[in-house]
Amino acid sequence: MNHDSPPGESTGQEASNREDARGEDRSREDARGEDRSREDARGEDRSREDARRDARSRKDARGEDRSREGAHRQDPVRADERTHRAFLARVAEPGDAVFGRWIREAGAERAVRGLLDGGERPRGVTDGRWEGLRARAERADPERDLADAHAAGIRFVCPGDSEWPAQLDDLGDGRPVGLWVRGRPSLRMWALRSVALVGARACTEYGAHMAATLGAGLAERGWVVVSGGAYGVDGAAHRGALAAGGATVAVLACGVDRPYPRGHTELITRIAEQGLVVGELPPGEHPTPSRFILRNRVIAALTRGTVVVEAAYRSGALVTARAAQRLGRFAMGVPGPVTSGLSAGVHELLRGEAALVTDAAEVAELVGDMGELAPDRRGPVLPRDLLDPGAGRVLAALPARGLAGAEEIARGAGTTTDDAVGRLYELRSLGFVERHGDGWKLTRQMMIPVHDDRRGR
């Protein structure tokens, strides 16, 4: 029997097998395609997730930047006002009330135009002074000042900005045209709870110790210590606050980009890193004696109160304290030796309406909120202070040395013999007196205190 298939049938079978093989290949290709699709989908998902993660990172970074910028982000809408005031800060001297009144009445933009075209000018300004102001105006370049300040990490804060301390408006027409601020914190927020510590440049060791102690104590209580960055008391106050990990502000009488005095360059740089350095004068400006005096009004207005640690009669620290009094702020003084000329000005201030303070708790009690009370100060309570008044009179009638009879003690105490005897037995039970026969005497531990009290009288 022939088992071979017919030729036609064999060809059909092979074609069927090839078709099946192609079908399997297509299935495998489809499976690989599906795998590639799933892999591509996973890749796209990963890409989208990475993109979302990057977006979140950028958003977080922007949030951190905004957080670091804090409350002193400046409104771009006010850029023109800021430029005009930067121009005027270069032209006007600090505290010029005539110039300040002109800005208030005419506005910063009109004041700038008046200086540039020589038209409108403030009332009460002489021809010579007006020419001097215009000469300054010709050289003013506010865009460059603002750009240089920005490059150095300095911002210009103007009235009306969110960072402007409203208490400076108490200076009226003498308020700053604006303030150049170096440092990250918000000046307005820090000024809300601040105290000025000022005093002599050539201070004594006592003055430096008290300034550093007060600065540290106030910082520990959450107060911002404000001073002028000078030698002596100012520097000690700043260092005390920094040593306590607290906040401090240096108000300079020059551009905040050039630390003064030079010997405090490291200190002022550290203040700028941990706190704030503030000034009215544009970058690059130098200090003068009059600018130091005018700077003090800003310290007084910025804070809730001013403490003078050491000051002679002609000290600029007294100018700060008197400015604080005129503005309705607290003026305080730390007493010193009456033989020290560096404490004479403080004592004269204390003879007026200034308050005497000896530590940070007493300062905080004056300038702080309700309930920030200093502890009661009193000497030690002695056992005899707790006696009934009648028993106290009997005890006082006993002699410092030797014995006394009951009748003699009664006469000294102004009472009857029976009452005196009763009181004496009460005092004996408390350990104040001893009986020897018919006489009474003080116990050993009572002899010296009572004897010293009587000698002190």
Side-chain angles (χ1 to χ4, degrees):
M1 180 183 295
N2 185 9
H3 295 284
D4 294 335
S5 301
E9 185 178 340
S10 175
T11 301
Q13 184 64 40
E14 289 174 1
S16 176
N17 291 339
R18 282 195 299 272
E19 183 64 31
D20 291 342
R22 283 195 296 271
E24 290 176 3
D25 291 340
R26 282 195 298 271
S27 297
R28 281 194 292 270
E29 183 63 30
D30 291 342
R32 283 195 295 269
E34 290 176 2
D35 290 340
R36 282 195 299 271
S37 298
R38 284 193 293 270
E39 184 63 31
D40 292 342
R42 283 195 295 270
E44 290 176 3
D45 290 341
R46 282 195 296 271
S47 297
R48 283 194 292 269
E49 182 61 30
D50 290 342
R52 284 194 293 269
R53 190 179 301 111
D54 291 341
R56 283 196 299 270
S57 298
R58 286 193 296 271
K59 184 178 180 181
D60 291 342
R62 287 194 298 270
E64 289 176 6
D65 290 340
R66 286 194 296 269
S67 178
R68 282 193 293 267
E69 289 172 5
H72 55 68
R73 290 196 304 276
Q74 297 184 327
D75 186 355
V77 175
R78 291 178 49 80
D80 289 342
E81 176 75 7
R82 186 166 293 105
T83 303
H84 296 323
R85 285 186 172 269
F87 178 97
L88 297 171
R90 180 64 73 178
V91 175
E93 279 295 311
D96 188 335
V98 173
F99 208 88
R101 184 187 65 220
W102 186 36
I103 296 173
R104 174 174 56 82
E105 292 175 350
E109 184 178 0
R110 282 179 59 188
V112 170
R113 285 204 307 268
L115 284 163
L116 291 176
D117 61 25
E120 183 181 2
R121 71 181 189 181
R123 301 191 310 272
V125 175
T126 63
D127 292 340
R129 187 181 173 203
W130 180 242
E131 290 304 316
L133 292 172
R134 290 203 63 207
R136 281 190 177 186
E138 289 175 1
R139 302 184 63 181
D141 188 349
E143 288 84 1
R144 185 183 64 189
D145 284 341
L146 291 170
D148 291 346
H150 181 74
I154 299 166
R155 60 191 179 277
F156 187 54
V157 179
C158 303
D161 286 348
S162 61
E163 195 184 356
W164 180 257
Q167 57 266 46
L168 290 178
D169 297 339
D170 293 345
L171 292 169
D173 291 334
R175 75 177 180 178
V177 174
L179 288 175
W180 303 86
V181 181
R182 180 180 166 200
R184 303 202 69 85
S186 166
L187 176 61
R188 183 180 70 84
M189 296 304 296
W190 274 29
L192 291 175
R193 189 176 168 84
S194 63
V195 177
L197 288 181
V198 296
R201 285 179 172 83
C203 66
T204 64
E205 289 185 9
Y206 165 77
H209 169 76
M210 288 303 302
T213 302
L214 285 168
L218 288 166
E220 289 169 352
R221 286 168 171 78
W223 288 89
V224 177
V225 175
V226 179
S227 197
Y231 292 131
V233 167
D234 289 15
H238 288 307
R239 290 189 182 96
L242 291 171
T248 188
V249 177
V251 182
L252 304 186
C254 57
V256 297
D257 60 329
R258 52 167 57 188
Y260 186 89
R262 294 290 180 85
H264 274 180
T265 297
E266 183 178 347
L267 173 62
I268 293 173
T269 300
R270 186 180 170 198
I271 294 171
E273 292 171 351
Q274 296 182 222
L276 290 171
V277 178
V278 178
E280 292 180 77
L281 292 159
E285 284 292 319
H286 63 277
T288 64
S290 62
R291 287 173 173 179
F292 280 117
I293 296 299
L294 291 165
R295 177 272 312 270
N296 293 341
R297 84 194 194 288
V298 177
I299 295 177
L302 201 60
T303 56
R304 290 196 187 182
T306 296
V307 182
V308 184
V309 177
E310 277 188 329
Y313 285 123
R314 287 176 53 83
S315 173
L318 298 180
V319 175
T320 311
R322 289 170 183 144
Q325 289 176 318
R326 288 194 300 271
L327 293 167
R329 315 289 198 264
F330 289 99
M332 296 157 276
V334 177
V338 296
T339 55
S340 171
L342 285 174
S343 290
V346 180
H347 295 160
E348 186 65 22
L349 189 69
L350 291 173
R351 292 186 65 196
E353 297 182 357
L356 186 152
V357 293
T358 60
D359 61 16
E362 292 176 350
V363 175
E365 181 179 58
L366 277 176
V367 301
D369 299 324
M370 186 178 296
E372 292 190 56
L373 302 177
D376 291 335
R377 311 292 167 81
R378 61 179 66 185
V381 178
L382 301 176
R384 65 174 178 269
D385 297 333
L386 304 176
L387 291 174
D388 175 86
R393 287 193 295 271
V394 171
L395 180 63
L398 271 81
R401 295 285 186 273
L403 297 170
E407 292 181 357
E408 180 185 353
I409 295 171
R411 284 195 300 272
T415 186
T416 65
T417 302
D418 290 342
D419 180 60
V421 170
R423 299 289 188 180
L424 286 167
Y425 277 107
E426 177 185 346
L427 291 170
R428 187 180 72 167
S429 68
L430 294 173
F432 289 97
V433 300
E434 299 172 347
R435 181 178 180 183
H436 294 271
D438 292 334
W440 297 83
K441 65 179 292 187
L442 294 171
T443 56
R444 180 178 296 275
Q445 64 265 27
M446 286 300 299
M447 284 183 183
I448 295 178
V450 171
H451 179 66
D452 287 347
D453 282 355
R454 288 175 178 173
R455 186 168 58 187
R457 295 195 207 107

